[in-house]
């Protein structure tokens, strides 16, 4: 049996664009964060909000969903504030892909590159990612906007998803593929705003670059 990756994992067509992507953000709720131990919780929170803001910049359809929010808590405020007009789909299914409302919302976008971030990785990310991959979607799991109850749980889930054909990716890699060309100035400006707030060391470097450019402009260079 061949172990070569599927054709969709190779070449230019394997890369994300704002036109071929749909983003699903699953269960970024207080209860889930309380038992997040694979990453520093504030890092995951920063990254998922940055990812959501970037999706807004690039007009990527984004679906928010929670699980039993009356017990697990509402979607975290920083994430909900990115899409104040959207009421998250509140589920009882642990596996998001078994909730027809979420699947129907994805299908309505008519996009086959499905980007998912979730808490926790080993359950709420792995289950829908594996099922959707089996149903013909090109699934991208955003590993640093997700997290598990332990480092081992997160890492084993990523391995399992890879075996099912899911592509692991980080949030800044997603937005870089969406931007693709710095000549796209309208979205580049929006991305710069997102990175300045959520880009960590990249934000510091970017601020420094702006300082240097401002200094040169002041000297007439």
């Amino acid at each position: 049996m061949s172990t070569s990756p599927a054709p969709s994992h190779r070449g230019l067509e394997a890369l994300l664009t704002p036109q071929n992507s749909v983003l699903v953000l699953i269960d970024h709720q207080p209860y889930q964060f309380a038992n997040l131990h694979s990453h520093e919780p504030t890092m995951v929170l920063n990254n998922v909000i940055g990812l959501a803001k970037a999706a807004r910049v690039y007009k990527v359809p984004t679906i928010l969903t929670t699980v039993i929010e009356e017990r697990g808590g509402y979607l975290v405020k920083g994430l909900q504030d990115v899409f104040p007009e959207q009421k998250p789909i509140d589920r009882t299914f642990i596996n998001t892909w078994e909730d027809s409302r979420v699947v129907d919302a994805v299908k309505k976008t008519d996009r086959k590159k499905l980007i998912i971030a979730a808490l926790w990785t080993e359950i709420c990310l792995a289950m829908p990612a594996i099922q959707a991959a089996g149903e013909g979607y090109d699934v991208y799991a955003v590993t640093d906007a997700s997290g598990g109850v332990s480092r081992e749980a997160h890492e084993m889930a990523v391995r399992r998803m890879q075996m099912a054909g899911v592509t692991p990716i980080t949030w800044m890699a997603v937005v870089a593929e969406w931007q693709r060309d710095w000549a796209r100035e309208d979205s580049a400006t929006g991305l710069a705003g997102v990175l300045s707030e959520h880009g960590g060391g990249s934000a510091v470097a970017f601020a420094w670059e702006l300082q240097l450019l401002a200094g040169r402009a002041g000297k007439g260079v």
Side-chain angles (χ1 to χ4, degrees), residues 105-169:
V106 171
K107 287 181 177 178
K108 284 179 182 177
T109 70
D110 198 30
R111 298 170 183 219
K112 300 298 286 186
K113 290 196 180 293
L114 176 61
I115 306 167
I116 307 178
L119 299 180
W120 300 308
T121 315
E122 64 273 25
I123 299 171
C124 299
L125 177 57
M127 285 184 178
I130 290 169
Q131 184 177 351
E135 294 177 6
Y137 286 87
D138 288 332
V139 183
Y140 296 74
V142 189
T143 57
D144 62 349
S146 307
V149 301
S150 68
R151 182 176 296 179
E152 181 178 3
H154 177 81
E155 291 176 353
M156 292 304 103
V158 173
R159 290 190 194 181
R160 184 185 180 198
M161 287 186 286
Q162 285 182 288
M163 291 173 66
V166 176
T167 302
I169 195 169

Side-chain angles (χ1 to χ4, degrees), residues 64-207:
L64 308 175
T65 180
T66 54
V67 62
I68 316 180
E69 65 179 21
E70 65 180 16
R71 297 209 302 267
Y74 298 119
L75 194 72
V76 291
K77 184 177 184 301
L79 184 52
Q80 182 67 74
D81 286 350
V82 182
F83 301 99
E85 74 289 347
Q86 185 178 159
K87 176 70 174 71
I89 297 170
D90 192 41
R91 314 175 326 276
T92 58
F93 284 105
I94 295 174
N95 177 9
T96 297
W97 211 249
E98 292 185 63
D99 191 306
S100 61
R101 296 170 297 169
V102 177
V103 177
D104 288 346
V106 171
K107 287 181 177 178
K108 284 179 182 177
T109 70
D110 198 30
R111 298 170 183 219
K112 300 298 286 186
K113 290 196 180 293
L114 176 61
I115 306 167
I116 307 178
L119 299 180
W120 300 308
T121 315
E122 64 273 25
I123 299 171
C124 299
L125 177 57
M127 285 184 178
I130 290 169
Q131 184 177 351
E135 294 177 6
Y137 286 87
D138 288 332
V139 183
Y140 296 74
V142 189
T143 57
D144 62 349
S146 307
V149 301
S150 68
R151 182 176 296 179
E152 181 178 3
H154 177 81
E155 291 176 353
M156 292 304 103
V158 173
R159 290 190 194 181
R160 184 185 180 198
M161 287 186 286
Q162 285 182 288
M163 291 173 66
V166 176
T167 302
I169 195 169
T170 58
W171 84 274
M172 290 184 69
V174 172
V175 300
E177 290 187 23
W178 283 343
Q179 177 63 31
R180 199 74 63 84
D181 185 347
W182 290 118
R184 298 170 181 167
E185 294 182 0
D186 290 345
S187 57
T189 300
L191 175 58
V194 174
L195 292 179
S196 68
E197 294 177 350
H198 300 279
S202 296
V204 175
F206 179 65

Side-chain angles (χ1 to χ4, degrees), residues 33-48:
F33 273 101
N35 197 28
L36 170 60
H37 297 291
S38 61
H39 299 71
E40 168 56 48
T42 55
M43 186 196 78
V44 173
L45 183 61
N46 172 80
N47 294 350
V48 74

